[in-house]
């Protein structure tokens, strides 16, 4: 029998296979051996009847296959026999015709079909009126198929509305191609005879058996079924054959002749039999490619779900009302809510801060309005720790392109963002240090930098005073002013808070809770007043390991520092020490540029600058000013007799007397060697003369002891007052210098002045 013969079914573009649950075999005729002629005749008759029955069964299978195909087609299709009776009708026909099996087609339609004789003839228009469906313009198309696909005198009719662009030729060609190439088959299970009868080539298509095989023992068929699926098929057959169930769909695996497994999609339908036998029609389709594709999809979905569940990012889906539909378990690291409690809640209901809720909802609304992905950053404080998230929102659409949900991916970028911010702020601090910005501003910037990194922290910098026993508050922008004023000048000691103790022991002191720390017991009233509970303090050292002060961080709640926080504290204290040491170096440079190293008085250059500014001030406000020029008498003899070291002691002694006798508002400088000068602002002639004489007398009455030797010395002074004609400081200094030499000439240890002249 030809492999191409048999009926095949197309339903919605996919190939289907039909099984039959009984195999028919003609019962053997018991013939007496003594009647050989009768036996031969009987055998010939049986062969003829078997051939006839085989052809009848093949025609039955073809008819069943076509009926099933048309009934389950998505198109409005009909099968007509030679009398014009309907053998099968697709469900879609009900739109235009109220007709059932074995009813004749309306004469108007049937007459129009009689006019179509050509193969794949073009559709004929017809204005059709039905009592049930009303007035319709139909296109009718007769699909004339080859004899091996269509039982004799049967015709397949397709109906469609004229406004539907249906092309008959491509449609018929598609049917032919599908029926020839699809792996489908129609079989019948005969449960009484335990046979499976297939349409021509059905068993070959399904199981790879020879094309001539048209039946298979039911036991062999079941043996080929996968052990895990065998009970499924047996139960389905019994349910249809004996329980009155009309049909059932199932999928199972069956072994191919080449020993691999094929998946079958099977539609079982009970068959009404007049002889009360149990037969089941089976329309089947090989769906192995689809099952493999589904398995691949499930595998990819599982892989995707595994990736999502194990992702360090927070991945969530929200509906258009911004209610959470799904969220992975990474959220548990950041939220006090358990994972399931997030489902069905909005961001506000999750307890997010109001500003974060507003930002998130605004970004989601922008996505809903534009349909475009969004990317932004959110910064929030969770469990006393700052978290920065880079949030990406992606729109999700259905098959029609309609926005259905929003996918949110939150990636924590706290470390990288804080590192970038810290690097930027450190660079700003280093620029301030390099440009010699005021130390107060630099320390305030360092405190701000650390407070940005440590959520809730408040920083302070305290410097060691000149006596080395107390601490001065150099910076603390976020600390309460009342608190900083109370700790100003606090003494260092073994149990003096965190900073005093850190300075005393020269090591980091961590106080997690002031209430329980012995270091803070004397100060609890103060800390409670300003709501301070924790303080971490670390000492600041110069490059020579000299104590400079302390760097501290305060918190309003008990806190234990993490290793990362302590690394940040040490890093910041190092930068603070650099700023302090740079300031000390800058002060040293200023001192070297302006202060005489031996006497610590202004050097010549700085004295002249200061004197020039004071001259302008006195001229502007019309106030008196006196100038003294001073020179130690016989200083060369002191160097020669006692040595230069003794001479330096004498110069230092004289500078100390100048500081003791003169006012703090007076300017005193060493012009060179043993020569000195002084500016006395707001000083008239009598006061200036009294000061000069007092200084001379103090020098004359004192002595310097060097290496056990007492050295006495004197000083000569020249004094003048500011005049209206003086334009520069040099004018006064030259006049005072002449008076100084006059004092030298008149015998030294005296004051010479020009008070007899008119002065301002």
């Amino acid at each position: 029998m030809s492999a191409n013969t048999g009926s095949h079914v197309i339903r919605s573009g996919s190939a289907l296979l039909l099984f039959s649950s009984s195999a028919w075999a003609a019962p053997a005729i018991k013939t007496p051996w003594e009647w050989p002629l009768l036996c031969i005749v009987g055998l010939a008759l049986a062969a003829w009847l078997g051939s006839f029955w085989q052809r009848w069964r093949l025609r039955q299978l073809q008819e069943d296959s076509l009926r099933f195909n048309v009934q389950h087609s998505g198109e409005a299709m009909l099968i007509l026999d030679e009398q014009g009776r309907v053998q099968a009708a697709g469900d879609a026909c009900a739109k235009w015709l109220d007709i059932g099996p074995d009813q004749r087609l309306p004469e108007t339609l049937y007459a129009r079909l009689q006019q179509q004789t050509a193969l794949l003839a073009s559709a004929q228009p017809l204005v059709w009126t039905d009592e049930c469906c009303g007035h319709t313009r139909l296109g009718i198309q007769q699909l004339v198929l080859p004899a091996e696909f269509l039982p004799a005198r049967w015709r397949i009719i397709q109906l469609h509305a004229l406004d539907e662009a249906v092309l008959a030729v491509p449609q018929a060609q598609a049917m032919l191609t599908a029926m020839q190439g699809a792996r489908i088959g129609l079989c019948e299970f005969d449960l009484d005879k335990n046979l499976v009868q297939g349409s021509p080539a059905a068993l070959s298509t399904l199981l790879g058996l020879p094309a001539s095989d048209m039946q298979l023992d039911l036991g062999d068929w079941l043996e080929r079924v996968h052990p895990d699926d065998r009970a499924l098929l047996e139960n389905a057959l019994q349910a249809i054959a004996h329980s009155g169930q009309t049909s059932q769909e199932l999928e199972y695996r069956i072994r191919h002749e080449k020993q691999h497994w094929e998946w079958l999609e099977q539609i079982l339908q009970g068959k009404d039999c007049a002889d009360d036998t149990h037969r089941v029609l089976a329309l089947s389709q090989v769906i192995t490619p689809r099952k493999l594709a589904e398995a691949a999809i499930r595998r990819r979905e599982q892989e995707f779900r595994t990736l999502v569940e194990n992702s360090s990012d927070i991945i969530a889906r929200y509906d258009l009302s911004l209610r959470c539909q799904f969220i992975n378990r990474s959220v548990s690291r950041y939220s006090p809510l358990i994972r399931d409690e997030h489902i069905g809640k909005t961001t506000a209901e999750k307890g997010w801060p109001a500003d974060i809720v507003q930002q998130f909802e605004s970004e989601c609304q922008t996505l809903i309005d534009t349909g475009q992905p969004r990317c932004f950053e959110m910064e929030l404080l969770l469990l006393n720790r700052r978290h920065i998230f880079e949030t990406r929102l992606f729109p999700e659409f259905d098959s029609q392109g309609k926005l259905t949900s929003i996918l949110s991916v939150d990636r924590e970028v706290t470390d990288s963002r804080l590192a970038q911010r810290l690097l930027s702020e450190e660079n700003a601090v280093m620029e301030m240090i390099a440009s010699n910005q005021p130390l107060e501003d630099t320390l305030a910037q360092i405190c701000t930098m650390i407070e940005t990194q440590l959520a809730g922290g408040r920083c302070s910098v305290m410097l060691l005073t000149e006596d080395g026993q107390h601490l001065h508050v150099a910076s603390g922008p976020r600390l309460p002013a009342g608190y900083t004023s109370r700790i100003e000048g606090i003494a260092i000691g073994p149990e003096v808070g965190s900073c005093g103790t850190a300075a005393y022991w020269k090591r980091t002191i961590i106080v997690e809770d002031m209430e329980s720390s012995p270091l803070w017991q004397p100060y609890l009233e103060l800390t409670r007043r300003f709501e301070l509970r924790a303080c971490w303090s670390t000492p600041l050292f110069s490059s020579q390991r000299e104590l400079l002060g302390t760097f501290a961080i305060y918190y309003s709640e008990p806190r234990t520092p993490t290793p990362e926080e302590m690394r940040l504290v040490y890093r910041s204290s190092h930068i603070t020490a650099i700023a302090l040491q740079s300031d000390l170096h800058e002060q040293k440079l200023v001192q070297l540029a302006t202060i005489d190293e031996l006497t610590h008085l202004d050097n010549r250059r700085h004295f002249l600058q200061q004197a020039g500014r004071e001259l302008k001030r006195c001229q502007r406000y019309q106030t008196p000013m006196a100038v003294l020029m001073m020179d130690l008498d016989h200083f060369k003899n002191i160097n020669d007799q006692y040595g230069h070291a003794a001479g330096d002691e004498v110069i230092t002694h004289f500078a100390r007397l100048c500081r003791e006798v003169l006012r703090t508002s007076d300017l005193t400088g060493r012009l060179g060697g043993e020569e000195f000068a002084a500016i006395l602002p707001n000083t008239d002639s009598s006061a200036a003369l009294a000061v000069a004489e007092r200084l001379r007398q103090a020098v004359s009455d004192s002595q310097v002891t060097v290496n056990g030797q007492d050295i006495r010395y004197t000083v000569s002074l020249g004094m003048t007052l500011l005049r209206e004609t003086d334009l520069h400081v040099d004018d006064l200094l030259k006049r005072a210098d002449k008076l100084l030499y006059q004092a030298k000439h008149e015998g030294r240890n005296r004051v010479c002045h020009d008070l007899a002249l008119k002065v301002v």
Side-chain angles (χ1 to χ4, degrees):
M1 188 170 294
S2 172
N4 292 328
T5 59
S7 48
H8 301 274
V9 180
I10 312 250
R11 187 182 60 155
S12 302
S14 59
L16 303 173
L17 164 70
L18 186 64
F19 297 153
S20 123
S21 63
S22 33
W24 12 262
I29 302 175
K30 297 183 180 180
T31 307
W33 289 105
E34 59 270 30
W35 300 91
L37 181 60
L38 183 60
C39 179
I40 294 173
V41 173
L43 289 175
L45 180 62
W48 179 80
L49 291 174
S51 174
F52 176 81
W53 181 82
Q54 187 87 346
R55 290 194 300 273
W56 178 83
R57 289 296 301 154
L58 175 60
R59 186 172 69 254
Q60 286 292 109
L61 287 173
Q62 286 179 322
E63 293 176 358
D64 291 341
S65 176
L66 282 174
R67 285 193 183 96
F68 198 94
N69 175 42
V70 169
Q71 289 171 355
H72 293 81
S73 172
E75 305 293 336
M77 301 181 69
L78 298 169
I79 296 179
L80 301 180
D81 61 11
E82 63 275 15
Q83 284 83 29
R85 290 192 299 267
V86 176
Q87 296 297 317
D91 294 337
C93 292
K95 293 189 296 183
W96 302 300
L97 295 175
D98 183 13
I99 192 170
D102 292 329
Q103 294 183 0
R104 286 184 58 84
L105 196 68
E107 289 298 330
T108 307
L109 283 178
Y110 189 70
R112 182 60 58 89
L113 291 176
Q114 294 295 99
Q115 302 173 9
Q116 295 189 9
T117 57
L119 181 65
L120 303 178
S122 56
Q124 296 293 322
L126 174 69
V127 177
W128 172 253
T129 301
D130 184 79
E131 295 181 358
C132 176
C133 304
H135 185 75
T136 308
R137 297 185 71 249
L138 292 179
I140 55 176
Q141 172 72 48
Q142 180 176 224
L143 305 180
V144 182
L145 302 182
E148 63 266 24
F149 293 104
L150 194 65
R153 298 179 302 280
W154 277 24
R155 287 182 291 178
I156 298 178
I157 309 302
Q158 183 175 5
L159 307 176
H160 62 86
L162 287 180
D163 55 349
E164 297 178 359
V166 178
L167 297 178
V169 173
Q171 201 168 46
Q173 188 61 41
M175 177 177 286
L176 288 174
T177 303
M179 294 179 71
Q180 291 172 346
R183 298 183 63 185
I184 58 176
L186 180 66
C187 296
E188 183 180 82
F189 288 88
D190 191 329
L191 302 185
D192 295 329
K193 297 180 180 180
N194 288 325
L195 288 177
V196 180
Q197 174 74 23
S199 60
L203 300 182
S204 175
T205 299
L206 300 176
L207 305 180
L209 297 176
S212 58
D213 290 356
M214 295 183 60
Q215 69 180 26
L216 185 68
D217 186 77
L218 180 59
D220 292 342
W221 182 281
L222 293 175
E223 185 66 27
R224 290 174 177 268
V225 176
H226 195 282
D228 294 342
D229 302 333
R230 194 170 297 154
L232 176 69
L233 175 60
E234 291 177 338
N235 293 336
L237 291 174
Q238 293 299 324
I240 294 177
H242 300 288
S243 302
Q245 186 173 339
T246 57
S247 64
Q248 187 172 345
E249 296 185 13
L250 67 158
E251 297 175 355
Y252 61 87
R253 289 159 288 182
I254 192 167
R255 190 176 65 252
H256 193 271
E257 187 68 17
K258 294 182 179 179
Q259 304 305 310
H260 64 269
W261 295 103
E262 294 279 12
W263 275 94
L264 295 184
E265 180 186 61
Q266 192 171 78
I267 301 176
L268 301 178
Q269 187 169 2
K271 185 174 182 181
D272 295 331
C273 301
D275 55 1
D276 203 23
T277 57
H278 300 96
R279 298 178 185 176
V280 178
L281 289 177
L283 183 64
S284 300
Q285 174 187 9
V286 177
I287 59 170
T288 304
R290 192 188 80 193
K291 297 297 288 187
L292 294 177
E294 291 175 353
I297 291 174
R298 286 194 299 270
R299 184 174 61 254
R300 288 194 294 269
E301 288 179 349
Q302 183 61 38
E303 292 172 353
F304 176 74
R305 182 171 292 275
T306 300
L307 289 174
V308 168
E309 288 297 338
N310 292 280
S311 174
S312 59
D313 301 337
I314 302 176
I315 302 177
R317 174 177 287 113
Y318 295 89
D319 61 20
L320 299 186
S321 299
L322 302 187
R323 292 193 176 274
C324 183
Q325 297 176 319
F326 166 81
I327 196 164
N328 68 347
R329 60 188 179 191
S330 293
V331 73
S332 302
R333 300 201 309 268
Y334 305 100
S335 174
L337 298 178
I338 64 174
R339 176 181 176 181
D340 292 343
E341 290 181 354
H342 287 264
I343 306 302
K345 292 184 177 180
T346 64
T347 52
E349 294 170 343
K350 293 181 182 182
W352 289 15
D355 57 334
I356 298 299
V357 172
Q358 182 180 2
Q359 180 186 10
F360 184 82
E361 291 179 349
S362 175
E363 294 290 346
C364 288
Q365 188 59 49
T366 302
L367 181 145
I368 293 173
D369 295 338
T370 64
Q372 298 299 317
R374 306 292 299 168
C375 180
F376 57 97
E377 288 189 0
M378 298 190 298
E379 183 172 336
L380 57 154
L381 187 65
L382 299 173
L383 303 176
N384 294 323
R385 186 174 184 271
R386 176 180 286 107
H387 295 274
I388 302 175
F389 293 96
E390 181 184 71
T391 301
R392 294 181 179 272
L393 301 178
F394 301 96
E396 294 184 315
F397 303 95
D398 59 15
S399 58
Q400 284 75 38
K402 181 181 178 181
L403 181 66
T404 58
S405 57
I406 300 173
L407 184 67
S408 172
V409 180
D410 301 318
R411 172 166 297 176
E412 185 178 9
V413 293
T414 307
D415 293 340
S416 61
R417 292 297 185 269
L418 290 182
Q420 293 173 1
R421 190 178 301 174
L422 178 62
L423 180 60
S424 175
E425 293 177 344
E426 282 182 346
N427 290 337
V429 170
M430 299 307 292
E431 289 177 3
M432 295 179 71
I433 295 174
S435 59
N436 298 321
Q437 295 293 320
L439 179 63
E440 181 181 354
D441 296 343
T442 304
L443 295 180
Q445 179 64 29
I446 293 175
C447 290
T448 301
M449 173 182 71
I450 301 307
E451 290 164 354
T452 300
Q453 297 287 317
L454 301 178
R458 289 180 280 185
C459 301
S460 74
V461 177
M462 302 188 75
L463 302 182
L464 195 66
T465 57
E466 292 184 1
D467 62 7
Q469 300 300 317
H470 298 81
L471 293 174
H472 155 66
V473 180
S475 184
R478 292 190 60 210
L479 284 175
Y483 178 77
T484 56
S485 64
R486 291 285 299 275
I487 65 173
E488 172 62 34
I490 190 172
I492 66 174
E495 292 185 352
V496 183
S498 297
C499 294
T501 306
Y504 182 85
W505 295 110
K506 297 183 180 180
R507 61 182 175 86
T508 300
I509 299 296
I510 302 296
V511 176
E512 302 170 0
D513 190 354
M514 296 176 179
E515 294 287 336
S516 59
S517 172
L519 304 181
W520 285 91
Q521 293 306 308
Y523 313 103
L524 288 181
E525 181 182 355
L526 180 65
T527 58
R528 289 169 181 170
R529 175 183 172 189
F530 295 104
E531 298 180 351
L532 300 175
R533 289 294 299 272
C535 182
W536 317 332
S537 182
T538 184
L540 303 173
F541 297 102
S542 68
S543 57
Q544 290 78 32
R545 292 297 296 176
E546 297 175 348
L547 182 65
L548 301 176
T550 61
F551 181 88
I553 300 176
Y554 292 84
Y555 284 94
S556 297
E557 67 281 336
R559 279 290 303 275
T560 300
T562 64
E564 293 79 9
E565 290 172 334
M566 286 310 303
R567 282 195 291 269
L568 180 60
V569 169
Y570 291 138
R571 180 173 177 175
S572 303
S573 62
H574 179 65
I575 295 176
T576 306
I578 292 175
L580 295 176
Q581 192 158 354
S582 175
D583 185 70
L584 291 176
H585 289 167
E586 183 65 23
Q587 293 179 17
K588 185 66 175 178
L589 291 175
V590 171
Q591 182 177 346
L592 292 175
T594 61
I595 305 300
D596 179 67
E597 187 175 3
L598 179 61
T599 63
H600 298 294
L601 299 176
D602 290 343
N603 60 18
R604 181 184 183 90
R605 177 174 174 272
H606 189 56
F607 175 80
L608 293 176
Q609 290 177 346
Q610 296 287 84
R613 285 195 289 268
E614 194 61 38
L615 172 64
K616 292 180 180 179
R617 190 187 68 80
C618 290
Q619 289 175 336
R620 182 184 305 115
Y621 296 105
Q622 298 293 306
T623 58
M625 184 181 76
V627 176
L628 300 178
M629 286 294 290
M630 302 164 285
D631 188 82
L632 302 184
D633 298 332
H634 303 296
F635 185 73
K636 184 176 183 301
N637 294 336
I638 296 175
N639 281 337
D640 293 342
Q641 182 177 353
Y642 301 103
H644 287 279
D648 290 344
E649 288 292 336
V650 171
I651 290 176
T652 302
H653 180 266
F654 177 74
R656 185 165 59 251
L657 290 177
C658 287
R659 280 191 286 269
E660 292 175 356
V661 173
L662 300 178
R663 299 168 300 181
T664 56
S665 60
D666 296 334
L667 303 178
T668 307
R670 182 187 179 194
L671 302 186
E674 70 278 13
E675 186 178 21
F676 296 83
I679 300 294
L680 310 178
N682 300 316
T683 306
D684 57 16
S685 58
S686 59
L689 184 58
V691 170
E693 186 60 32
R694 187 163 61 250
L695 179 59
R696 183 201 65 78
Q697 190 64 43
V699 172
S700 178
D701 294 343
S702 64
Q703 65 180 18
V704 180
T705 301
V706 180
N707 297 326
Q709 294 179 315
D710 294 334
I711 303 174
R712 290 185 175 274
Y713 67 99
T714 59
V715 64
S716 299
L717 299 91
M719 186 193 73
T720 186
L721 295 181
L722 178 62
R723 300 175 181 175
E724 293 180 352
T725 58
D726 293 330
L727 300 177
H728 303 286
V729 172
D730 287 345
D731 297 336
L732 288 88
L733 294 177
K734 287 177 182 178
R735 205 162 53 245
D737 191 51
K738 289 180 181 181
L739 293 169
L740 171 62
Y741 277 100
Q742 180 182 341
K744 291 278 189 181
H745 182 70
E746 292 179 358
R748 295 181 173 83
N749 191 22
R750 66 188 62 226
V751 178
C752 288
H753 56 83
D754 56 1
L755 297 181
L757 301 176
K758 184 180 180 182
V759 296
V760 178

